[in-house]
Amino acid sequence: MVTTVGAAALLLAGCAQDPAEKPDAGAPAGDKAKTTLTVGVFGAFGLKEAGLYDEYMAQNPGIRIEQTSIERNENYYPQLLTHLGTGSGLADIQAVEVNNIAEITATQADKLVDLGKAPGVDKAAYLPWKWAQGTASAAKGGATVGLGTDIGPQGICYRKDLFEAAGLPTDRAAVGALWAGDWNKYLETGRAYKAKAGDGKAFVDSASGVMAAVTGSSAQRFYDDQGKVVYKTNPAVRGAFDLAASFATDGLSAKLQQFTPGWDQGFANGSFATVSCPAWMLGYIQDKAGPAGKDKWDVAQAPKPSNWGGSFLVVPKAGKHAQEAAKLAAWLTSPEQQAKLFEKRGSFPSASASYKLPSVSGAQHAYFGGAPIGEIFAKAAEGVPVTVVGPKDLVISQNLADIGMLQVDQKGRSPQEGWEAAVKAIDNALDQ
C-alpha cells in the first residue's frame, strides 16, 4: 500500500501554529453526566485536527474531551510551570515541547503520573532515545512522565536541477551515497558543487542549519550524563561549530537566517541547493517553493541521523481525573494513533512500532518526486542516538546559532570570534 501524505498535513506539522482556541461550549445536556478530560496544548498540535479526540469519545461514550490551545509555546510553557508549581489551573493532560522536556523531568517529575505504567503502554514500541527523553533520572525516581507524540528525524532536501547543473547525481540513493556516514563529506560535496555551479546558487541555506543538524547527530552535546554543562569542552560541539563555519568561509552558504522572510524567498527563488530538513519541513518547503518547485526538490538520507523537533504528553497528578487521563494519553500516543496523525497531519511517529504500518511504511510525497518519506525518515529515526538533553539546551543552541554562527555567516567574523561571542552570551544567560 502506498500512502501519499498531503501538503497540508506536512505543512501543519512541526512549527505551524494556530490562534488560541477555547474549549468547546454549550455541551448537550446528555454530556453533563460524562467525565470531561481536558487537554492543554500549544499551537495547532494536531490531535484534535486529526479527529483523534472524536474517535476516542466514540469508543468511550462516558468520556468527553475538551482542548485549550495557546498560540505559542513561549507563552504556553511558562504558564504550565506556574500551574505545576501551584498545583492548580492544570489540564488533565498537558503537552510539552521537546526543548522543555529535560526541565520537566528534572524539576517536575514528582508532580506527574508515571505513564510508563499506564495501561496499554509498551516501552518496546517506542524509540529508545525518545523514551529516554521523557524519563526522569534515577535520582529523580526514574519515572517515564512524558509519552512522545511525534519527532523530527532529518534528511537532506536538495534541488535536483541545481545538482544536475553542477554535474552531481540527482537520484536520491546516489545523492545520499555522496556523504553517507560523514558530515565532512557533505562539506566536500559542497565544494565540488561550487566548483561547477559558480557563485549564483549556494550549496546550503545557512551555516547555522548545518551546525544544528551536525550537533543533533551526537550522543553528547551540551550536557554530560551527570547534568553538567559541557558544551565548551565537548569536542563534538566545537567540531560541529567549526565544520559549519567552513560552509560560510568557503562561500557555500546563502547566508540566510531560518524562518525569516529572506529564507522563505530563498526557497521560492531556488537560491540554495540543499537544506537539512526534518520530516515536518517538507510541507514548509512545498508552501514556500510553490508549484514551480514540484519535482525539482527531492530528499535523501542525511550523513548521520539526527532529530529536530517533537513533543510529549504528560499527566499532572493534581488533575481531577488522572487515571482516565493516563489512559487517554496512552491511547493518543499508541503506534496506531501516531500513524493516523502522520497520515493526516505529517507529524512523524515517535513509536517505532508504527513504522511497519502501511500508512507509514508506504508513505510517499508527490511534490518531492514520489520520495518514500516513510522509509527515509523511519531509517533516520531509528538511527538517532540516545542524547543527553539538558534544561537549557534551547538557550545554548540558540546562542550558538544566532550569536555565534550568524556572525560568521553574515558578518564575516572569524570562526574563533563567532565562538567566543556565543560562549560569552551563553554563559551570561546561564548565570541569570
Side-chain angles (χ1 to χ4, degrees), residues 30-213:
D31 283 356
K32 293 181 179 179
K34 296 183 177 183
T35 297
T36 298
L37 297 179
T38 55
V39 183
V41 303
F42 50 89
F45 203 75
L47 302 174
K48 178 180 179 180
E49 295 84 349
L52 297 186
Y53 297 157
D54 289 338
E55 183 177 346
Y56 190 82
M57 288 188 288
Q59 295 177 13
N60 299 270
I63 298 295
R64 174 177 169 79
I65 302 171
E66 294 181 350
Q67 175 181 286
T68 58
S69 177
I70 293 177
E71 183 177 0
R72 303 186 65 82
N73 183 52
E74 49 262 47
N75 298 323
Y76 166 88
Y77 183 63
Q79 291 187 29
L80 174 59
L81 288 180
T82 298
H83 293 318
L84 284 170
T86 62
S88 63
L90 291 159
D92 294 301
I93 295 175
Q94 298 275 176
V96 177
E97 207 269 341
V98 64
N99 286 310
N100 304 126
I101 193 63
E103 184 173 19
I104 290 293
T105 59
T107 66
Q108 307 294 328
D110 61 325
K111 300 170 185 174
L112 301 170
V113 173
D114 185 351
L115 296 177
K117 298 178 180 178
V121 174
D122 179 9
K123 178 180 178 180
Y126 297 83
L127 291 163
W129 59 268
K130 184 71 172 183
W131 184 272
Q133 287 178 342
T135 302
S137 67
K140 296 293 183 179
T144 299
V145 297
L147 292 179
T149 57
D150 64 304
I151 54 174
Q154 297 200 76
I156 300 293
C157 292
Y158 65 98
R159 284 277 299 238
K160 290 183 285 189
D161 56 331
L162 298 184
F163 267 47
E164 183 176 14
L168 294 174
T170 60
D171 173 77
R172 66 182 68 94
V175 169
L178 291 173
W179 48 64
D182 189 347
W183 284 104
N184 285 291
K185 292 181 180 179
Y186 186 46
L187 175 62
E188 293 170 6
T189 302
R191 289 168 174 161
Y193 169 87
K194 183 185 178 184
K196 295 285 187 69
D199 297 327
K201 303 289 185 180
F203 183 64
V204 299
D205 61 320
S206 69
S208 295
V210 174
M211 179 179 63

Side-chain angles (χ1 to χ4, degrees), residues 14 33 57 71 87 130 135 143 146 176 202 218 231 234 285 350-351 362 374 384 387 401:
M57 288 188 288
E71 183 177 0
K130 184 71 172 183
T135 302
S218 298
Y231 80 94
N234 182 2
I285 294 173
S350 64
V384 173
T387 304

